[in-house]
Amino acid sequence: MKPDAAKPEVLVIDDEPQIRRLLRLILEEDGYAVREAETGKAGQGEILRHNPDAIILDLGLPDEPGVDVLRRLREWNATPVLILSVFGQEGSKVAGLDAGADDYLTKPFGEAELLARLRALLRRIKPAVAASKFRFGRCEVDLAARRVTRDGHTLHLTTTEYALLRLFITHRDKVLTHRQILRELWGPKAEGQTHYLRTYMLRLRRKLEDDLEAPRHFQTESGVGYRFLSDPADAA
Amino acid sequence: MTVPMPWKDVAAPPAGAPGAAALPTRAKAKRIIPGSEYWKARKTSAAREYAEVLGVVAIVAVVGWSAPVSYHVFGYLYLLMVIALSLRVGRWPVLVAAVVSALTWNFVFMPPRMSFSVLDVDDTLMLGSYFFAALIGGQLTARIRAQERHERQREQRATAFLHLTRALAEARTMDAAAAAALRQADDLFSARTALLLPDENGSLTAHPAGTFRLGEQERAVAAVAWARGQPAGRGTEILPGDGLYLPLLRAGQALGVFAVQLPPELTELSTAQRDLIEGFAAQIALLVEHEQLRAAGEREKLLEESDRLHRTLLDSVSHELKTPLAVLRSAGEKLTTDDPDRRVNLAGEIRTATRRLDHLVANLLNQTRLETGRLEAQLDWCDVRDLIGAARRAAGDAVAARTLKIEVPPDMPLFLADAVLMEHVMANLLFNAALHTPIGTTIRVTAGLDEEHRCVRLEVADNGPGIPAEINATLFQKFQRGPAARAGGLGLGLSIVRGFMEAQHGQVSAGRSPEGGALFTLQLPYAPHGAVPGDET
């Protein structure tokens, strides 16, 4: 059905024609096929008809809140979703991520940032060869042997630290909300206990980052969560 | 209050007024309402007094029966007894004492004993003096008692007003004051009360602190009292019903209605009770008027302020917006050039202009959030390194040409803050430091706890020229820009810093850094977090 099977298809759901035009310009130049929808309803129709590879969804749609569109979509569809929000909407960002969005961008955003996020999303659905070894910076994680080395020296990680690192590797380059991480590691009852997470993040960074004041791989997204960048140079 | 009160004249003899104690118990008994202390005229048990009187008379008769003395002695004894009783018991019991004493003396002691005898002049005089003593004594006692009661009521009133005034003085908002007044009224009258004030649409609305829940009918009565400026309801000529509705009158204008739900058994109010309720209403009226004047003053000030703000805002916003817009427009037009070097330059200009616009819009939005009072800090455990890192990223290129030194103690604990607000606060301080210092300046960011571990301190210091003394006072006000500020900025940065810090129960202060430059100190309350689950190795 797709016009060009080689090109990944992105659906842009945004009511602003200028944003849609701009996204089309950026995305087509980078080798994506682009479809547009103006409203949540139209967007859903597009998803049903064309089954895009990724969706860029604006949270402030004229017909219904983007978060609602997302929630309904996630009932039957797992296509990666990148949400667009505007300044000052930290709450809706988190709501969107918790409702199943894979990442977010705040308007105004840069082209490089957008493309890096999109690449990360598409990489996730087409996992590379099931490599048991994963490298980032000066560290290497042997997932099969459950061993972490830095500059060739074995690092000692506690069970929780390792679980946290594993979670980040599984969801690399993608933002994870506090709630998602807490739930995964300490169970649903711990969803509000952000100090657990902060404490373990600090321990993990101490062991794996070069500069604690400017971490490169374990990035903090203020008020939202964390993002693990396997290759910071690629993330703009 | 000089309100005509027609109902005042038709009220029944007041129970609490002087002399009331001696009245037949009709009025008294009706006022005794279980559980409502105020409405109760203090009831000295009449039955007990009668019992006491009869008992004393009987004891004298029994004890004196076999005493070998003249019956005259008992005549004097009974006289003394009546005098003594007159000081203790009410007017009616003492009269009973006189009658019973006279009969007993005659019947028991006067020969022939155990029968009534004919009186001679001496004995008649003796009996007459019983009644004389009883009447005089009874009158005096009644007067003293009435005075006591009066005093007690005055004291009660004074205390009530004292409590009310104190509660009102302590209340900081109109709502708190109204709640305090209603609570006082509830306590004092042991009744349910309500305060009705007109809302924006001009219809009477009950204050939520009131305990008297008005139904449809009661509201209608209250509205009549409000419209006419006259008391309505129970004990009045206007719509007598369950409650009493007093208009809150100031300068002839009804500002609202004070409603008291009187106990159903209560038919009339005494003058003292009415006065007290009216006094309360007058106090509340004063409060309402004061609040209305204050609100009006504030509105006016606000209007003036917002007018001034609008002018300043319009001036500086239009200037601040037009500059980057002009750059964007001409750079956009020139982008069609074929010269690749120029195109790179133009793209750089566009980037700078958009960043400037971005910063401007962010600060304008932040200021608006602060001003509309819709800002609510989402306090969460924060790692100070995250906050500094995020601020550094947000400040971006602005601080690139300055050296940034970050000093965080290795054992720096987590603390509660709103990460997003803190990012803006720190970014604004970094941005500010960069804006007001020459290239190559060192900006030092330090974090730590104070000595008592009660608050978190964050410092942003530089070795630049420092803050000019003349702007120290207005430093944190909006639209205040440093005299040497280069183009750029609305003068909102520090106002936002202060607003955001206060939203997190923190504060910000400015001073001189040891290096001689500017020093901004942020403080946030600190309390350690709970335990973190342990971990197997």
Side-chain angles (χ1 to χ4, degrees):
Chain A
M1 287 296 282
K2 286 175 189 175
D4 185 344
K7 279 188 181 178
E9 196 172 301
V10 179
L11 171 66
V12 176
I13 309 176
D14 195 316
D15 59 318
E16 284 287 342
Q18 206 178 359
I19 295 278
R20 290 203 307 271
R21 277 205 301 274
L22 186 76
L23 286 173
R24 180 181 279 280
L25 207 71
I26 296 173
L27 294 173
E28 285 185 345
E29 203 184 87
D30 211 58
Y32 293 95
V34 179
R35 285 190 183 279
E36 296 177 22
E38 213 170 323
T39 59
K41 217 177 174 66
Q44 264 195 316
E46 287 288 313
I47 298 166
L48 273 171
R49 275 193 298 279
H50 302 288
N51 191 22
D53 296 299
I55 299 163
I56 298 179
L57 171 69
D58 183 52
L59 284 183
L61 290 173
D63 57 338
E64 59 183 327
V67 175
D68 291 356
V69 177
L70 190 59
R71 240 176 238 132
R72 264 209 320 281
L73 175 70
R74 278 294 176 251
E75 282 170 18
W76 59 277
N77 186 305
T79 311
V81 174
L82 175 67
I83 48 178
L84 295 182
S85 76
V86 291
F87 168 84
Q89 287 186 330
E90 274 72 23
S92 66
K93 257 187 271 188
V94 176
L97 290 167
D98 282 336
D102 297 82
D103 212 329
Y104 76 94
L105 267 180
T106 307
K107 291 182 198 170
F109 48 82
E111 178 185 349
E113 211 179 356
L114 168 73
L115 291 175
R117 298 281 153 88
L118 208 53
R119 267 199 304 281
L121 290 195
L122 291 169
R123 192 159 52 223
R124 230 169 42 76
I125 51 162
K126 283 186 222 129
V129 208
S132 74
K133 287 198 177 154
F134 182 81
R135 298 186 59 86
F136 65 95
R138 292 152 59 195
C139 303
E140 189 180 81
V141 185
D142 187 336
L143 294 165
R146 201 196 160 284
R147 199 178 64 219
V148 186
T149 54
R150 184 169 171 185
D151 295 331
H153 302 288
T154 303
L155 281 179
H156 176 73
L157 257 63
T158 66
T159 315
T160 312
E161 286 165 5
Y162 184 76
L164 187 57
L165 177 61
R166 240 200 105 98
L167 186 70
F168 276 126
I169 292 174
T170 317
H171 298 273
R172 59 184 175 275
D173 303 323
K174 187 199 135 182
V175 70
L176 283 170
T177 63
H178 297 139
R179 189 203 290 259
Q180 288 167 340
I181 306 175
L182 284 162
R183 206 187 169 88
E184 187 75 29
L185 262 71
W186 287 280
K189 275 191 190 149
E191 270 176 18
Q193 313 292 330
T194 43
H195 59 287
Y196 296 3
L197 180 54
R198 301 264 184 232
T199 306
Y200 277 96
M201 276 311 292
L202 191 60
R203 292 186 195 168
L204 204 59
R205 279 174 175 165
R206 280 222 164 92
K207 290 183 181 173
L208 302 174
E209 288 279 4
D210 295 338
D211 182 1
L212 209 52
E213 258 77 59
R216 295 179 70 231
H217 299 288
F218 297 92
Q219 300 269 340
T220 301
E221 299 282 327
S222 293
V224 176
Y226 290 96
R227 181 196 302 280
F228 172 64
L229 296 177
S230 52
D231 180 11
D234 177 56
Chain B
M1 290 211 319
T2 52
V3 197
M5 295 199 182
W7 48 288
K8 239 180 178 171
D9 306 322
V10 297
L23 285 176
T25 48
R26 181 188 59 85
K28 224 175 180 179
K30 275 186 188 159
R31 288 209 162 62
I32 299 157
I33 295 143
S36 57
E37 294 305 320
Y38 180 78
W39 309 107
K40 235 186 248 177
R42 207 182 74 131
K43 178 193 171 197
T44 30
S45 162
R48 245 190 65 193
E49 290 191 355
Y50 287 113
E52 195 176 320
V53 162
L54 295 177
V56 173
V57 173
I59 286 168
V60 171
V62 171
V63 171
W65 176 254
S66 50
V69 284
S70 153
Y71 76 94
H72 289 290
V73 173
F74 295 102
Y76 287 116
L77 266 179
Y78 274 121
L79 176 60
L80 290 174
M81 190 202 73
V82 168
I83 293 172
L85 279 173
S86 77
L87 299 177
R88 271 184 61 77
V89 300
R91 203 182 323 198
W92 293 101
V94 83
L95 269 179
V96 168
V99 170
V100 177
S101 299
L103 293 175
T104 313
W105 183 49
N106 188 325
F107 187 76
V108 176
F109 293 105
M110 215 178 277
R113 286 190 164 196
M114 301 313 286
S115 72
F116 289 106
S117 19
V118 185
L119 299 173
D120 60 16
V121 181
D122 283 7
D123 299 339
T124 315
L125 257 176
M126 178 60 83
L127 289 182
S129 60
Y130 287 7
F131 291 99
F132 189 68
L135 281 175
I136 302 267
Q139 191 63 42
L140 281 175
T141 312
R143 195 175 293 166
I144 290 166
R145 285 192 175 181
Q147 219 155 14
E148 261 176 19
R149 176 163 307 158
H150 192 56
E151 278 302 311
R152 202 168 45 237
Q153 270 178 346
R154 263 180 48 185
E155 194 188 302
Q156 209 174 12
R157 250 184 84 148
T159 320
F161 276 111
L162 184 73
H163 281 313
L164 179 66
T165 340
R166 193 181 296 160
L168 293 186
E170 277 169 8
R172 285 169 150 209
T173 62
M174 171 66 192
D175 271 350
L182 287 171
R183 225 175 17 247
Q184 287 293 330
D186 282 5
D187 284 356
L188 180 67
F189 303 126
S190 303
R192 296 177 194 281
T193 58
L195 177 63
L196 295 112
L197 297 172
D199 62 12
E200 306 93 60
N201 310 324
S203 58
L204 276 183
T205 314
H207 191 276
T211 47
F212 178 13
R213 304 263 170 260
L214 286 89
E216 197 82 5
Q217 218 172 346
E218 280 109 18
R219 272 173 203 284
V221 185
V224 169
W226 184 48
R228 291 204 194 171
Q230 282 182 11
R234 178 81 70 88
T236 73
E237 285 173 344
I238 306 171
L239 302 166
D242 216 17
L244 174 60
Y245 305 85
L246 297 176
L248 304 173
L249 291 172
R250 291 297 299 167
Q253 206 194 346
L255 306 178
V257 174
F258 177 54
V260 187
Q261 188 179 32
L262 303 171
E265 302 90 343
L266 188 80
T267 47
E268 307 105 8
L269 287 173
S270 73
T271 316
Q273 288 167 338
R274 238 174 17 221
D275 282 354
L276 190 53
I277 298 179
E278 280 166 19
F280 249 72
Q283 280 284 324
I284 295 173
L286 210 69
L287 165 77
V288 173
E289 185 194 44
H290 184 77
E291 173 61 23
Q292 284 183 350
L293 288 176
R294 198 191 60 75
E298 200 140 281
R299 260 200 306 281
E300 197 149 309
K301 231 171 74 188
L302 216 69
L303 273 177
E304 248 173 58
E305 167 84 344
S306 88
D307 207 40
R308 192 185 68 83
L309 215 83
H310 267 119
R311 276 198 305 274
T312 327
L313 192 68
L314 223 63
D315 287 354
S316 36
V317 168
S318 58
H319 173 257
E320 283 300 314
L321 284 175
K322 273 180 180 162
T323 316
L325 283 176
V327 173
L328 285 177
R329 181 172 172 170
S330 51
E333 282 167 1
K334 289 201 182 94
L335 264 179
T336 46
T337 178
D338 290 328
D339 181 352
D341 289 345
R342 284 196 64 191
R343 285 169 68 121
V344 170
N345 282 343
L346 286 171
E349 287 303 325
I350 290 175
R351 263 204 301 277
T352 313
T354 47
R355 243 197 317 272
R356 200 165 144 183
L357 272 177
D358 202 16
H359 181 72
L360 191 75
V361 170
N363 269 356
L364 272 173
L365 284 173
N366 281 334
Q367 186 66 36
T368 317
R369 274 163 85 192
L370 275 175
E371 245 147 76
T372 49
R374 270 188 303 186
L375 184 78
E376 220 173 284
Q378 307 285 324
L379 296 183
D380 201 351
W381 294 105
C382 289
D383 183 340
V384 74
R385 296 171 191 88
D386 285 346
L387 302 180
I388 299 171
R392 200 176 173 177
R393 275 203 303 274
D397 299 348
V399 287
R402 311 312 189 261
T403 316
L404 200 58
K405 270 169 75 178
I406 298 170
E407 294 163 20
V408 179
D411 59 346
M412 180 71 195
L414 303 177
F415 56 90
L416 279 178
D418 183 315
V420 178
L421 296 190
M422 281 310 284
E423 179 185 324
H424 286 290
V425 165
M426 302 281 295
N428 264 319
L429 289 180
L430 290 179
F431 201 78
N432 231 30
L435 195 69
H436 296 283
T437 56
I439 287 174
T441 306
T442 302
I443 302 172
R444 191 166 45 80
V445 182
T446 36
L449 291 182
D450 67 338
E451 298 83 31
E452 286 111 28
H453 289 216
R454 292 241 180 82
C455 74
V456 176
R457 285 167 70 98
L458 277 165
E459 288 181 359
V460 178
D462 62 58
N463 59 357
I467 303 160
E470 66 267 24
I471 63 159
N472 253 334
T474 56
L475 197 60
F476 291 103
Q477 288 175 12
K478 58 193 164 209
F479 303 124
Q480 296 296 329
R481 294 170 52 182
R486 294 190 301 274
L490 277 173
L492 288 177
L494 287 179
S495 144
I496 290 167
V497 167
R498 186 175 62 176
F500 279 12
M501 287 310 290
E502 282 169 1
Q504 301 172 82
H505 315 295
Q507 56 194 49
V508 57
S509 57
R512 180 166 281 271
S513 71
E515 303 93 322
L519 165 71
F520 287 91
T521 309
L522 304 173
Q523 283 185 313
L524 281 170
Y526 171 73
H529 59 73
V532 174
D535 194 11
E536 323 96 70
T537 51

